[in-house]
Structure formats: C-alpha cells, structure tokens
Amino acid sequence: MKPLGPFDKYLIHEFVEDYRDGIMSRRDMIRRVIYITGGVASAATILTSMGVTPMTRAAMAQETTPTPSAEPQSPLSVAPDDSRIVGSDIEIPAEDGTMIMAYQALPANGNGSSEDMGTPAASPTVTEGWPFVMICHENRGLTEHIRDVTRRWAVEGYAAVALDLLSREGGTDAIEDQAEIPGLFSEIDPGRHVGDFQDTLAFYSTVEGVDASRSAMTGFCFGGGITWRVATASPELNAAAPFYGPPPDLEEVPNIGAAVLGVYSDDPDDFANNGLEELQQALIDAGITHQINIYPDTQHAFHNDTGQRYNEEASIMAWTDTVAWFAHYV
C-alpha cells in the first residue's frame, strides 16, 4: 500500500463517516477509497482497520447512492444572475505557466454591469479598491455550491475568487467519474495548491480596483486544510477562516501572519477535530491572533447547504462570525 499522507487519511475517514451516517453508499465509499489507496487490497486493509467489513460485489451492485440536495437551502444563497454581483469564469496565470481556472465574483456597485468587469483585468468603478478574498473548495472540486459562496462574498463587498485546483487535470467538470476527484487530490502535493493561491494573491495585487493588501482566505473541509497551509506560507494574508480543515504542520504555525478564525463542529467523530487542541496550543505559543469556534449540535460540513449535514442555524452563525472577523482584520 502506498504511504498515506495527512490529507489521504483525512479523506478516508470522511468517507467512512459519510457511509456510517447513511450519506454515502458503501459502494461509493469503497470506490473513493480505492482511488486514494491505489488498489482494492490496500483499500480493504485500511477499511478493515477502521471496522468496515468487506462486501460482496453482488451486494455492492445492488446499493443505491443517497442523492444530495441539488438546490441550495441557505437563505444566504446568491443566484448567478443576482443584480448585486457580477460573476464570471476566468483564468489566472500561475508561476509555472499554467492558466488556473477560477470563478470570480465582484460587487456590482449598484449598476449591475460594466464592460469587461467579468475579467480579472477589469477596472471596476470603486472609490477605493475592494478587499480581496480567496475561497478553496471541498474535495469535490469547484462545484456550484462553492460558486454560490463566492457570490456571497461579493455581496459583502469583496472581490472574491474560487480556484479550480484540478485545472492541470482539465478542471473539475472534465473528470468523468466524480468519485475519482478525491483520489486525484491525494496524488497532488499540497504545495501545488498552496502555490496556486500564492500566485492568485500576487496576480490580484496588480488588478486595478482590487486592494490585495487587504486579503483573506477561507475554505471548507479539504479546502479548510489548504487554507491553514496557505496561511503558514503567506504571511501577507490578513485573515483566514478554515472551516473544519485538518491542521497544518505545527512547526509551521509560527509563520502565520493572518488572524485566524477556525470553524469546527462539536461532533466527536469528526476527524477534522483530531489534533485541534495541539493546534490551539501551537497558536497560543506562537502568539498568533486566533479564535477557534466550535458550533453546537453540528457535524462535519455543516455549512454546505447542498449536503445532508447542513445545519441552517449554525451555518448562518458561522458565516456571520466569519464576515465580522474579516471586517475587523482585513
């Protein structure tokens, strides 16, 4: 079995919990784990160690996959054609010459449209540059839910952008078998994702109408873990809000320059909470401005209003807390 990194273990635990909670079929859970471990035997080994017993092919074939909500449930949701924002698919140049696919949302400033405003090289009509926020998606890639979250930040007055971290693989929508996506992430050095966000921050520092000196980042699940890592590698970041993400290397915590708001569930089975106490102590020891919020009666991914663990009250509270945190520190 190939060595499993921290993100690999995090993803596998997440899939097992989804299966145990009835959110994911055993068949789909096993398929996702196989993509991460690289083989059936290795997947069986690690799943057995976690108390998941083998299953016959016939039984797997009869299983059905629970269907998540196709429509957003949150009252905070912002439609693509909302007159308060201007959203568009864009590309951002990376240092290695790659064009990173992304979704950008800008405040409409009351006029609802502007020539070329859909491109990052736009010159929006603002007295001062908009503060800037980057959004990192979950292990499913750049989904419509993450685009919705990006638009929500534009409504709050930010120039917002969500990257597609599978751009070099053709983009999220190009992956025929969506179950393969987490496995693709497990094969990519997380440093590549961190570099893409650093390149994005550098690029927007050249965009007229955007004040990238007032910058923030947030991300969810897998994206929460990437947010922690970008914060350790980008001391110029003003604020960060990782939502239930795996912690970074504790030795890197002193490099954080951002004020960090950590958003976590109170579910004892949420693997994202592993190491949280040690992380908090490392933040204290390093003198990092931070606050870790644990929301009651929640489970992992409680903010995703297209998922089955969505908690409306807690998600609105976490969103309000994050908006206030960024308003104070960005």
Side-chain angles (χ1 to χ4, degrees):
M1 183 171 70
K2 75 173 187 178
L4 297 179
F7 273 107
D8 300 329
K9 297 174 184 176
Y10 171 81
L11 291 171
I12 291 171
H13 275 84
E14 183 178 341
F15 298 146
V16 170
E17 287 307 310
D18 284 350
Y19 159 66
R20 286 174 173 159
D21 289 347
I23 293 173
M24 182 180 293
S25 73
R26 182 187 291 239
R27 177 180 60 185
D28 277 2
M29 180 267 294
I30 291 174
R31 288 174 62 230
R32 284 167 168 77
V33 174
I34 288 173
Y35 276 125
I36 292 173
T37 62
V40 175
S42 53
T45 298
I46 192 167
L47 289 173
T48 299
S49 73
M50 297 173 67
V52 180
T53 57
M55 186 179 188
T56 66
R57 290 188 178 184
M60 286 175 62
Q62 293 174 0
E63 279 201 326
T64 58
T65 303
T67 303
S69 171
E71 298 296 330
Q73 304 173 64
S74 174
L76 300 172
S77 179
V78 178
D81 59 353
D82 192 298
S83 62
R84 295 172 295 174
I85 64 96
V86 176
S88 59
D89 293 315
I90 63 169
E91 291 186 332
I92 298 167
E95 187 175 354
D96 65 1
T98 301
M99 296 302 290
I100 306 167
M101 302 174 185
Y103 177 74
Q104 174 188 262
L106 304 174
N109 279 340
N111 57 19
S113 64
S114 176
E115 279 190 21
D116 300 326
M117 191 179 278
T119 68
S123 301
T125 306
V126 287
T127 305
E128 297 179 355
W130 291 311
F132 178 57
V133 62
M134 301 183 292
I135 298 94
C136 189
H137 54 62
E138 302 159 312
N139 65 57
R140 297 170 179 84
L142 182 54
T143 61
E144 180 53 34
H145 167 64
I146 296 300
R147 292 170 183 265
D148 184 0
V149 172
T150 306
R151 293 190 291 268
R152 297 178 200 182
W153 279 112
V155 169
E156 296 294 336
Y158 289 77
V161 66
L163 305 190
D164 188 336
L165 295 178
L166 291 175
S167 294
R168 293 170 183 80
E169 288 69 39
T172 298
D173 292 341
I175 309 302
E176 184 174 348
D177 183 358
Q178 295 290 292
E180 183 184 358
I181 290 177
L184 291 175
F185 285 128
S186 76
E187 296 172 359
I188 301 169
D189 181 349
R192 190 186 92 175
H193 307 318
V194 171
D196 283 351
F197 279 102
Q198 290 179 310
D199 290 343
T200 298
L201 184 56
F203 175 70
Y204 272 89
S205 68
T206 69
V207 176
E208 187 177 353
V210 176
D211 184 358
S213 69
R214 294 186 293 151
S215 61
M217 181 171 174
T218 188
F220 305 88
C221 304
F222 161 84
I226 298 300
T227 300
W228 276 115
R229 284 156 179 75
V230 172
T232 65
S234 305
E236 68 271 30
L237 202 65
N238 300 109
F243 277 57
Y244 28 78
D249 185 337
L250 298 185
E251 294 181 357
E252 301 296 326
V253 167
N255 297 329
I256 296 175
V260 183
L261 175 68
V263 175
Y264 288 86
S265 77
D266 70 344
D267 182 0
D269 294 325
D270 186 348
F271 194 66
N273 293 335
N274 282 24
L276 190 55
E277 291 184 5
E278 294 82 355
L279 174 58
Q280 287 181 278
Q281 190 58 55
L283 290 164
I284 293 170
D285 292 344
I288 306 300
T289 299
H290 74 282
Q291 182 173 308
I292 303 295
N293 287 357
I294 298 176
Y295 295 84
D297 302 318
T298 56
Q299 294 179 292
H300 187 77
F302 69 85
H303 182 267
N304 187 335
D305 59 316
T306 66
Q308 291 169 273
R309 291 197 179 106
Y310 172 58
N311 181 315
E312 181 172 304
E313 180 179 359
S315 69
I316 292 175
M317 188 181 304
W319 174 262
T320 302
D321 292 342
T322 304
V323 169
W325 188 266
F326 284 5
H328 183 76
Y329 289 105
V330 174

Coordinates of all heavy atoms in Angstrom, one line a residue, residues 52-126:
V52 N -14.6 -1.4 9.0 CA -15.6 -1.6 7.8 C -15.3 -3.0 7.2 O -14.2 -3.2 6.7 CB -15.4 -0.5 6.8 CG1 -16.3 -0.7 5.6 CG2 -15.6 0.9 7.4
T53 N -16.2 -3.9 7.3 CA -16.0 -5.2 6.8 C -16.2 -5.3 5.3 O -16.9 -4.5 4.7 CB -17.0 -6.2 7.5 OG1 -18.4 -5.7 7.2 CG2 -16.8 -6.2 9.0
P54 N -15.6 -6.3 4.7 CA -15.7 -6.5 3.2 C -17.2 -6.7 2.8 O -18.0 -7.0 3.6 CB -14.8 -7.7 2.9 CG -13.9 -7.8 4.1 CD -14.7 -7.3 5.3
M55 N -17.4 -6.5 1.5 CA -18.7 -6.7 0.9 C -18.6 -7.3 -0.4 O -17.7 -7.1 -1.2 CB -19.4 -5.3 0.8 CG -20.8 -5.3 0.4 SD -21.4 -3.6 0.3 CE -23.2 -3.9 0.1
T56 N -19.6 -8.2 -0.7 CA -19.5 -8.9 -2.0 C -19.9 -8.0 -3.1 O -20.6 -7.0 -2.9 CB -20.6 -10.1 -2.0 OG1 -21.9 -9.5 -1.9 CG2 -20.3 -11.0 -0.8
R57 N -19.4 -8.3 -4.3 CA -19.7 -7.4 -5.5 C -21.2 -7.4 -5.8 O -21.7 -6.3 -6.2 CB -18.9 -8.0 -6.7 CG -17.4 -7.8 -6.6 CD -16.7 -8.1 -7.9 NE -15.3 -7.9 -7.8 CZ -14.5 -8.1 -8.9 NH1 -15.0 -8.5 -10.1 NH2 -13.2 -7.8 -8.8
A58 N -21.8 -8.5 -5.6 CA -23.3 -8.5 -5.8 C -24.0 -7.6 -4.9 O -24.9 -6.8 -5.4 CB -23.8 -10.0 -5.7
A59 N -23.6 -7.6 -3.6 CA -24.3 -6.7 -2.7 C -24.0 -5.2 -3.0 O -24.9 -4.4 -2.9 CB -23.9 -7.0 -1.3
M60 N -22.7 -5.0 -3.4 CA -22.4 -3.6 -3.8 C -23.2 -3.1 -5.0 O -23.6 -2.0 -5.1 CB -20.9 -3.5 -4.1 CG -20.0 -3.5 -2.8 SD -18.2 -3.6 -3.2 CE -18.1 -2.0 -4.0
A61 N -23.4 -4.0 -5.9 CA -24.1 -3.6 -7.2 C -25.5 -3.3 -6.9 O -26.1 -2.5 -7.7 CB -24.0 -4.8 -8.2
Q62 N -26.1 -3.8 -5.8 CA -27.5 -3.5 -5.5 C -27.7 -2.3 -4.7 O -28.8 -1.8 -4.5 CB -28.1 -4.7 -4.7 CG -28.2 -6.0 -5.5 CD -28.6 -7.2 -4.7 OE1 -28.8 -7.1 -3.5 NE2 -28.7 -8.3 -5.3
E63 N -26.6 -1.7 -4.2 CA -26.7 -0.5 -3.4 C -27.1 0.7 -4.3 O -26.7 0.8 -5.4 CB -25.4 -0.2 -2.7 CG -25.2 -1.0 -1.4 CD -24.2 -0.4 -0.5 OE1 -23.3 0.2 -1.0 OE2 -24.4 -0.5 0.7
T64 N -27.8 1.6 -3.6 CA -28.1 2.9 -4.3 C -27.4 4.0 -3.5 O -27.1 3.9 -2.3 CB -29.6 3.2 -4.3 OG1 -30.1 3.2 -3.0 CG2 -30.3 2.1 -5.1
T65 N -27.0 5.1 -4.2 CA -26.3 6.2 -3.6 C -27.3 7.3 -3.2 O -28.1 7.7 -4.0 CB -25.3 6.8 -4.6 OG1 -24.4 5.8 -5.1 CG2 -24.5 7.9 -4.0
P66 N -27.2 7.7 -1.9 CA -28.1 8.8 -1.5 C -27.9 10.0 -2.4 O -26.7 10.3 -2.7 CB -27.6 9.0 0.0 CG -27.0 7.8 0.4 CD -26.3 7.2 -0.9
T67 N -28.9 10.7 -2.7 CA -28.9 11.9 -3.6 C -28.8 13.1 -2.7 O -29.8 13.4 -2.0 CB -30.1 11.9 -4.5 OG1 -30.1 10.7 -5.3 CG2 -29.9 13.1 -5.5
P68 N -27.8 13.9 -2.8 CA -27.7 15.2 -2.1 C -28.7 16.2 -2.7 O -29.2 16.0 -3.8 CB -26.3 15.7 -2.2 CG -25.8 15.0 -3.5 CD -26.5 13.7 -3.6
S69 N -28.9 17.3 -2.0 CA -29.8 18.3 -2.5 C -29.2 19.0 -3.7 O -28.0 19.3 -3.7 CB -30.0 19.4 -1.4 OG -30.7 20.5 -1.9
A70 N -30.0 19.1 -4.7 CA -29.4 19.7 -6.0 C -29.5 21.3 -5.9 O -28.8 22.0 -6.6 CB -30.2 19.3 -7.2
E71 N -30.4 21.8 -5.0 CA -30.6 23.2 -4.9 C -30.1 23.7 -3.5 O -30.2 23.0 -2.5 CB -32.1 23.5 -5.0 CG -32.7 23.1 -6.4 CD -32.1 23.9 -7.5 OE1 -31.7 25.1 -7.3 OE2 -32.0 23.3 -8.6
P72 N -29.6 24.9 -3.5 CA -29.1 25.5 -2.2 C -30.3 25.7 -1.3 O -31.4 26.0 -1.7 CB -28.5 26.8 -2.6 CG -29.1 27.1 -3.9 CD -29.3 25.8 -4.6
Q73 N -30.1 25.4 0.0 CA -31.1 25.6 1.0 C -31.0 26.8 1.9 O -31.9 27.2 2.6 CB -31.2 24.4 1.9 CG -31.3 23.0 1.2 CD -31.1 21.9 2.2 OE1 -31.9 21.7 3.1 NE2 -30.1 21.1 1.9
S74 N -29.8 27.4 1.8 CA -29.5 28.5 2.7 C -30.2 29.8 2.3 O -30.2 30.2 1.1 CB -28.0 28.8 2.7 OG -27.7 29.9 3.5
P75 N -30.7 30.6 3.2 CA -31.2 31.9 2.9 C -30.2 32.9 2.5 O -30.5 34.0 1.9 CB -31.9 32.4 4.2 CG -31.2 31.6 5.3 CD -30.9 30.3 4.7
L76 N -28.9 32.5 2.7 CA -27.8 33.4 2.2 C -27.4 33.2 0.8 O -26.6 33.9 0.2 CB -26.6 33.1 3.1 CG -26.7 33.3 4.6 CD1 -25.5 32.8 5.3 CD2 -26.9 34.8 4.9
S77 N -28.0 32.2 0.1 CA -27.6 31.8 -1.2 C -27.8 33.0 -2.2 O -28.8 33.8 -2.1 CB -28.5 30.6 -1.7 OG -28.1 30.3 -3.0
V78 N -26.9 33.1 -3.1 CA -26.9 34.2 -4.1 C -26.9 33.6 -5.5 O -26.0 32.9 -5.9 CB -25.7 35.2 -4.0 CG1 -25.7 36.3 -5.0 CG2 -25.7 35.8 -2.6
A79 N -27.9 33.9 -6.3 CA -28.1 33.3 -7.6 C -27.1 33.9 -8.6 O -26.6 35.0 -8.4 CB -29.5 33.6 -8.1
P80 N -26.7 33.1 -9.6 CA -25.7 33.6 -10.6 C -26.1 34.9 -11.3 O -25.3 35.7 -11.6 CB -25.6 32.5 -11.6 CG -26.1 31.3 -10.9 CD -27.1 31.7 -9.9
D81 N -27.4 35.1 -11.4 CA -27.9 36.4 -12.1 C -28.3 37.4 -11.1 O -29.0 38.4 -11.5 CB -29.0 36.0 -13.0 CG -30.2 35.4 -12.3 OD1 -30.1 35.1 -11.1 OD2 -31.3 35.2 -13.0
D82 N -27.9 37.3 -9.9 CA -28.3 38.4 -8.9 C -27.7 39.7 -9.3 O -26.5 39.8 -9.6 CB -27.7 37.9 -7.5 CG -28.3 38.8 -6.4 OD1 -28.0 40.0 -6.3 OD2 -28.9 38.2 -5.5
S83 N -28.5 40.7 -9.3 CA -28.1 42.1 -9.7 C -27.0 42.7 -8.8 O -26.4 43.7 -9.2 CB -29.3 43.0 -9.9 OG -29.9 43.2 -8.6
R84 N -26.8 42.2 -7.7 CA -25.8 42.8 -6.7 C -24.4 42.4 -7.1 O -23.4 43.0 -6.5 CB -26.1 42.3 -5.3 CG -27.4 42.9 -4.8 CD -27.8 42.2 -3.4 NE -28.0 40.8 -3.5 CZ -28.2 40.0 -2.5 NH1 -28.1 40.5 -1.3 NH2 -28.4 38.7 -2.7
I85 N -24.2 41.4 -7.9 CA -22.9 40.9 -8.2 C -22.7 40.7 -9.7 O -23.6 40.7 -10.5 CB -22.6 39.6 -7.5 CG1 -23.5 38.5 -8.0 CG2 -22.7 39.8 -6.0 CD1 -23.0 37.6 -9.0
V86 N -21.4 40.6 -10.1 CA -21.1 40.2 -11.5 C -20.1 39.0 -11.4 O -19.0 39.1 -10.9 CB -20.4 41.4 -12.2 CG1 -19.9 40.9 -13.6 CG2 -21.3 42.5 -12.3
G87 N -20.6 37.8 -11.8 CA -19.8 36.6 -11.7 C -19.3 36.2 -13.1 O -20.0 36.4 -14.1
S88 N -18.2 35.5 -13.1 CA -17.7 35.0 -14.4 C -16.6 34.0 -14.2 O -15.9 34.0 -13.2 CB -17.1 36.2 -15.3 OG -16.0 36.8 -14.6
D89 N -16.4 33.1 -15.2 CA -15.3 32.1 -15.2 C -14.1 32.8 -15.8 O -14.2 33.5 -16.8 CB -15.7 30.9 -16.0 CG -16.8 30.1 -15.4 OD1 -16.7 29.8 -14.2 OD2 -17.7 29.7 -16.1
I90 N -13.0 32.7 -15.1 CA -11.8 33.4 -15.6 C -10.6 32.4 -15.5 O -10.7 31.3 -15.1 CB -11.5 34.6 -14.6 CG1 -11.2 34.1 -13.2 CG2 -12.6 35.6 -14.7 CD1 -10.6 35.2 -12.3
E91 N -9.4 32.9 -15.9 CA -8.2 32.1 -15.8 C -7.1 33.0 -15.2 O -7.1 34.2 -15.5 CB -7.7 31.6 -17.2 CG -8.6 30.5 -17.8 CD -8.1 29.9 -19.0 OE1 -7.3 30.6 -19.7 OE2 -8.4 28.8 -19.3
I92 N -6.3 32.5 -14.4 CA -5.3 33.2 -13.7 C -3.9 32.6 -14.0 O -3.8 31.3 -13.8 CB -5.6 33.2 -12.1 CG1 -6.9 33.9 -11.8 CG2 -4.4 33.8 -11.4 CD1 -7.4 33.6 -10.4
P93 N -2.9 33.3 -14.3 CA -1.6 32.8 -14.7 C -0.9 32.3 -13.4 O -0.7 33.0 -12.5 CB -0.9 33.9 -15.4 CG -1.5 35.2 -14.8 CD -3.0 34.8 -14.6
A94 N -0.4 31.1 -13.5 CA 0.4 30.5 -12.4 C 1.9 30.7 -12.8 O 2.3 30.9 -13.9 CB 0.1 29.1 -12.1
E95 N 2.8 30.6 -11.8 CA 4.2 30.8 -12.0 C 4.8 29.8 -13.0 O 5.7 30.1 -13.7 CB 4.9 30.8 -10.7 CG 6.4 31.1 -10.8 CD 7.1 31.2 -9.4 OE1 6.4 31.0 -8.4 OE2 8.3 31.4 -9.3
D96 N 4.2 28.6 -13.0 CA 4.7 27.5 -13.9 C 4.2 27.6 -15.3 O 4.4 26.7 -16.1 CB 4.4 26.1 -13.3 CG 2.9 25.8 -13.2 OD1 2.1 26.7 -13.7 OD2 2.6 24.7 -12.8
G97 N 3.4 28.7 -15.6 CA 2.9 28.9 -16.9 C 1.5 28.3 -17.1 O 0.9 28.6 -18.2
T98 N 1.0 27.6 -16.1 CA -0.4 27.1 -16.2 C -1.4 28.2 -16.1 O -1.2 29.2 -15.3 CB -0.6 26.1 -15.0 OG1 0.3 25.0 -15.2 CG2 -2.0 25.5 -15.1
M99 N -2.5 28.1 -16.7 CA -3.6 29.0 -16.5 C -4.6 28.3 -15.6 O -5.2 27.3 -15.9 CB -4.3 29.4 -17.8 CG -3.4 30.1 -18.8 SD -2.8 31.7 -18.1 CE -4.3 32.7 -18.0
I100 N -4.8 28.9 -14.4 CA -5.6 28.3 -13.4 C -7.1 28.7 -13.6 O -7.4 29.9 -13.7 CB -5.2 28.8 -12.0 CG1 -3.7 28.5 -11.7 CG2 -6.0 28.1 -10.9 CD1 -3.2 29.2 -10.5
M101 N -7.9 27.7 -13.8 CA -9.4 28.0 -13.9 C -9.9 28.5 -12.6 O -9.5 28.0 -11.5 CB -10.1 26.8 -14.3 CG -9.6 26.1 -15.6 SD -10.5 24.6 -15.9 CE -9.7 24.0 -17.4
A102 N -10.8 29.5 -12.7 CA -11.4 30.0 -11.4 C -12.7 30.7 -11.7 O -13.1 30.9 -12.9 CB -10.4 31.1 -10.8
Y103 N -13.5 30.9 -10.6 CA -14.7 31.6 -10.7 C -14.6 32.9 -9.9 O -14.2 32.8 -8.7 CB -15.9 30.8 -10.2 CG -17.2 31.5 -10.2 CD1 -17.9 31.7 -11.4 CD2 -17.8 32.0 -9.0 CE1 -19.1 32.4 -11.4 CE2 -19.0 32.6 -9.0 CZ -19.6 32.9 -10.2 OH -20.8 33.5 -10.2
Q104 N -14.9 34.0 -10.5 CA -14.7 35.3 -9.9 C -16.1 36.0 -9.7 O -16.9 35.9 -10.6 CB -13.8 36.2 -10.7 CG -13.7 37.7 -10.2 CD -13.0 38.5 -11.2 OE1 -11.8 38.8 -11.1 NE2 -13.7 39.0 -12.3
A105 N -16.3 36.6 -8.6 CA -17.5 37.4 -8.3 C -17.1 38.7 -7.7 O -16.3 38.8 -6.8 CB -18.4 36.7 -7.4
L106 N -17.6 39.8 -8.3 CA -17.4 41.2 -7.9 C -18.7 41.9 -7.5 O -19.7 41.6 -8.1 CB -16.7 41.9 -9.1 CG -15.4 41.4 -9.7 CD1 -15.0 42.2 -10.9 CD2 -14.3 41.3 -8.7
P107 N -18.6 42.8 -6.6 CA -19.8 43.6 -6.4 C -20.2 44.4 -7.6 O -19.3 44.9 -8.3 CB -19.3 44.5 -5.2 CG -18.1 43.9 -4.6 CD -17.4 43.2 -5.8
A108 N -21.5 44.6 -7.8 CA -21.9 45.3 -9.0 C -22.0 46.8 -8.8 O -22.2 47.6 -9.7 CB -23.3 44.8 -9.4
N109 N -21.8 47.2 -7.5 CA -21.8 48.7 -7.2 C -23.0 49.4 -7.6 O -23.0 50.5 -8.0 CB -20.6 49.3 -7.8 CG -19.3 49.1 -7.0 OD1 -19.4 48.8 -5.8 ND2 -18.2 49.3 -7.6
G110 N -24.1 48.7 -7.6 CA -25.4 49.3 -7.9 C -25.8 49.4 -9.4 O -26.9 49.6 -9.7
N111 N -24.8 49.2 -10.3 CA -25.1 49.4 -11.7 C -25.4 48.0 -12.4 O -25.9 48.0 -13.5 CB -24.1 50.2 -12.5 CG -22.7 49.6 -12.4 OD1 -22.5 48.4 -12.0 ND2 -21.7 50.4 -12.6
G112 N -25.0 46.9 -11.7 CA -25.3 45.6 -12.2 C -24.5 45.1 -13.4 O -24.6 44.0 -13.7
S113 N -23.8 46.0 -14.0 CA -23.0 45.6 -15.2 C -21.9 46.6 -15.4 O -22.0 47.7 -15.0 CB -23.8 45.4 -16.4 OG -24.4 46.7 -16.8
S114 N -20.9 46.1 -16.1 CA -19.8 47.0 -16.5 C -19.0 46.3 -17.6 O -18.8 45.1 -17.6 CB -18.9 47.3 -15.3 OG -17.8 48.1 -15.7
E115 N -18.6 47.1 -18.6 CA -17.8 46.5 -19.7 C -16.6 45.8 -19.1 O -15.8 46.4 -18.3 CB -17.4 47.6 -20.7 CG -18.5 47.9 -21.6 CD -18.0 48.8 -22.8 OE1 -16.7 48.8 -23.0 OE2 -18.7 49.5 -23.4
D116 N -16.4 44.5 -19.6 CA -15.2 43.8 -19.2 C -15.0 43.5 -17.7 O -14.0 43.1 -17.3 CB -13.9 44.4 -19.7 CG -13.9 44.6 -21.2 OD1 -14.4 43.7 -21.9 OD2 -13.4 45.6 -21.7
M117 N -16.1 43.7 -16.9 CA -16.0 43.5 -15.5 C -15.8 42.1 -15.2 O -15.3 41.7 -14.1 CB -17.2 44.1 -14.7 CG -17.0 44.1 -13.2 SD -18.4 44.9 -12.4 CE -18.0 46.6 -12.5
G118 N -16.2 41.2 -16.1 CA -16.0 39.8 -15.8 C -14.6 39.2 -15.9 O -14.4 38.1 -15.7
T119 N -13.7 40.0 -16.3 CA -12.3 39.6 -16.4 C -11.5 40.2 -15.3 O -11.8 41.2 -14.7 CB -11.6 40.1 -17.7 OG1 -11.5 41.5 -17.7 CG2 -12.5 39.7 -18.9
P120 N -10.4 39.4 -14.8 CA -9.7 39.9 -13.7 C -8.9 41.2 -14.0 O -8.4 41.9 -13.1 CB -8.7 38.8 -13.4 CG -8.6 38.0 -14.6 CD -10.0 38.2 -15.3
A121 N -8.7 41.5 -15.3 CA -8.0 42.8 -15.6 C -8.9 44.0 -15.7 O -8.6 45.0 -16.2 CB -7.3 42.6 -17.0
A122 N -10.1 43.8 -15.2 CA -11.1 44.9 -15.2 C -10.7 46.0 -14.4 O -9.9 45.9 -13.5 CB -12.5 44.3 -14.8
S123 N -11.3 47.2 -14.6 CA -11.1 48.4 -13.8 C -12.5 48.8 -13.3 O -13.1 49.7 -13.8 CB -10.5 49.5 -14.7 OG -9.3 49.1 -15.2
P124 N -13.0 48.1 -12.2 CA -14.3 48.5 -11.7 C -14.3 49.9 -11.1 O -13.3 50.4 -10.7 CB -14.5 47.4 -10.6 CG -13.2 46.9 -10.3 CD -12.3 47.1 -11.5
T125 N -15.5 50.5 -11.1 CA -15.7 51.8 -10.6 C -15.9 51.8 -9.1 O -17.0 51.6 -8.6 CB -16.9 52.5 -11.3 OG1 -16.7 52.4 -12.7 CG2 -17.0 53.9 -10.9
V126 N -14.8 51.9 -8.4 CA -14.9 52.0 -6.9 C -13.9 53.1 -6.4 O -12.9 53.3 -7.0 CB -14.4 50.7 -6.3 CG1 -15.5 49.6 -6.5 CG2 -13.1 50.2 -6.9

